[in-house]
Amino acid sequence: MVQVLLIALVAVLSVGLVYAMAAARVVKQYERGVVLRLGRLHDEVRSPGLTMIVPGVDRLRKVNMQIVTMPVPAQDGITRDNVTVRVDAVIYFKVVDAASAVIQVEDYRFAVSQMAQTSLRSIIGKSDLDDLLSDREKLNQGLELMIDSPAVGWGVQIDRVEIKDVSLPETMKRSMARQAEADRERRARVINADAELQASKKLAQAAQQMSTQPAALQLRLLQTVVAVAAEKNSTLVLPFPVELLRFLERAQQGQQPQPVGAGEQRPAAPGEPVPAAEPTAGETPAGAPPAGDASVTEQAFTDRPLPDVPPTGAKPEPDGVPEFDPELLPEFDPGPRSGSEPFTRH
């Protein structure tokens, strides 16, 4: 009798141990357990730790609550300005409602992946190429809103969406490179022109300042010579020294004509005829006609030819009349004259 009781007790303990082993489940810290009892969702979501289910009646599904990093395959699309691009992205999401992730969608990972691809295609078609290259933050926010709207019903929360790379055709890359080069060339020319304008203003001011001091030009010349000689890759030849320039400058300044005052005579230049001295009051110049006879003009005999000056009051000769007519000359009167009187011509 005692032996039978012992055998029954061992059998019950064995059955209980097998049942406990079949009903015991361990839920990890980053997981949540969803229990389906006879196909129906159990109200309680199992927390991390050891939990028990009814073997054969309950079915436990574990849902990962960690943030999932999922790459979005590269998508080919045409932007709003008709440029073909290839864009890929990465999406970060996590499950916030384990029951909805199990009940509302068959495979929430696949669903999120497909939604990310379609949303990426849509955002490419609504954006320009410049926005894809420079304004990615705005596109990331729009892409996140497009994916997060349907994912809320699945118990999934979209944490962040990032566009990784934008691939352009080779022709577009060359066009953009030429555009960037032209823009930089334009800015370089504008900067160079501005620099030339400022330099011209400074040079004008420097020239105005140097014009007041002639020695400043010589000092500037010496500075230029020193600057050229410092390179030691050229030969500088001065045909004449600077001292010669200074001597010529002083000599030129000494030969400048001085203004002639009242009663003073300017010295005659080489080759210029010496003017006759003006007579003083009461004196009669040598060779002048006697006073009172204004019709006779006497000139001193010289070797110089007389100037061809028409007589006062003479009328211009008509065409065809010879310039010299002997009959028009006055008769020569060889009267007696003293030896002291000069030979005159009337």
Side-chain angles (χ1 to χ4, degrees):
M1 189 64 183
V2 177
Q3 187 178 2
V4 174
L5 291 175
L6 291 175
I7 294 173
L9 181 58
V10 171
V12 170
L13 292 175
S14 299
V15 172
L17 182 59
V18 173
Y19 179 81
M21 292 178 62
R25 295 291 187 273
V26 176
V27 179
K28 297 179 182 179
Q29 182 65 37
Y30 54 86
E31 295 176 342
R32 297 296 182 271
V34 179
V35 179
L36 298 176
R37 182 167 293 173
L38 297 177
R40 287 189 175 185
L41 177 64
H42 198 271
D43 295 337
E44 182 182 359
V45 177
R46 304 300 172 88
S47 58
L50 181 62
T51 183
M52 303 297 294
I53 62 173
V54 180
V57 177
D58 295 341
R59 185 179 179 183
L60 179 67
R61 294 191 59 178
K62 300 177 182 179
V63 180
N64 193 341
M65 306 296 291
Q66 292 177 320
I67 296 178
V68 180
T69 303
M70 178 181 294
V72 180
Q75 302 297 314
D76 294 329
I78 301 176
T79 61
R80 189 167 57 182
D81 50 354
N82 298 326
V83 178
T84 303
V85 294
R86 186 179 180 87
V87 183
D88 57 350
V90 58
I91 182 171
Y92 302 89
F93 67 93
K94 64 180 179 180
V95 177
V96 294
D97 189 357
S100 299
V102 175
I103 302 300
Q104 300 296 332
V105 63
E106 180 182 3
D107 187 355
Y108 66 91
R109 288 175 177 265
F110 181 75
V112 171
S113 176
Q114 295 299 315
M115 179 58 64
Q117 295 180 30
T118 55
S119 299
L120 184 57
R121 285 177 175 270
S122 178
I123 209 71
I124 291 173
K126 294 180 181 179
S127 305
D128 296 332
L129 179 61
D130 294 338
D131 297 335
L132 288 175
L133 297 176
S134 60
D135 196 6
R136 292 190 181 183
E137 188 66 26
K138 182 179 179 180
L139 298 180
N140 294 337
Q141 294 177 1
L143 189 59
E144 180 180 349
L145 291 176
M146 294 178 66
I147 302 175
D148 189 63
S149 298
V152 172
W154 305 337
V156 177
Q157 178 183 354
I158 305 300
D159 189 67
R160 190 175 182 84
V161 180
E162 292 286 347
I163 295 177
K164 290 198 304 182
D165 189 21
V166 179
S167 300
L168 300 176
E170 293 298 328
T171 56
M172 181 57 62
K173 290 181 180 179
R174 290 194 293 268
S175 299
M176 295 177 67
R178 290 195 299 268
Q179 178 184 1
E181 183 179 359
D183 183 67
R184 291 184 177 275
E185 183 69 20
R186 177 185 62 85
R187 288 188 292 177
R189 290 184 178 181
V190 170
I191 294 173
N192 190 16
D194 191 12
E196 290 292 338
L197 177 60
Q198 295 180 7
S200 62
K201 292 181 179 179
K202 295 298 182 182
L203 288 176
Q205 295 176 3
Q208 183 178 5
Q209 185 67 24
M210 288 183 178
S211 62
T212 59
Q213 296 292 336
L217 294 175
Q218 299 177 2
L219 293 177
R220 183 56 185 167
L221 175 61
L222 295 177
Q223 291 177 358
T224 305
V225 171
V226 172
V228 173
E231 297 295 334
K232 298 181 180 180
N233 56 359
S234 59
T235 303
L236 183 62
V237 178
L238 293 178
F240 45 81
V242 180
E243 289 75 7
L244 181 59
L245 290 178
R246 296 178 182 174
F247 174 76
L248 294 177
E249 183 179 359
R250 289 194 298 267
Q252 184 179 4
Q253 292 178 357
Q255 292 180 0
Q256 291 182 355
Q258 300 295 333
V260 179
E264 297 181 358
Q265 293 185 356
R266 178 177 59 86
E272 183 180 356
V274 179
E278 296 182 358
T280 58
E283 295 183 358
T284 301
D293 189 2
S295 61
V296 179
T297 302
E298 293 185 359
Q299 295 180 355
F301 178 79
T302 59
D303 295 335
R304 299 179 183 178
L306 295 177
D308 296 335
V309 180
T312 305
K315 296 182 181 180
E317 296 181 355
D319 296 338
V321 179
E323 296 181 356
F324 176 76
D325 190 358
E327 297 179 359
L328 297 179
L329 294 175
E331 297 180 359
F332 178 72
D333 185 11
R337 60 184 182 88
S338 60
S340 60
E341 294 181 358
F343 179 82
T344 59
R345 183 176 56 183
H346 298 276

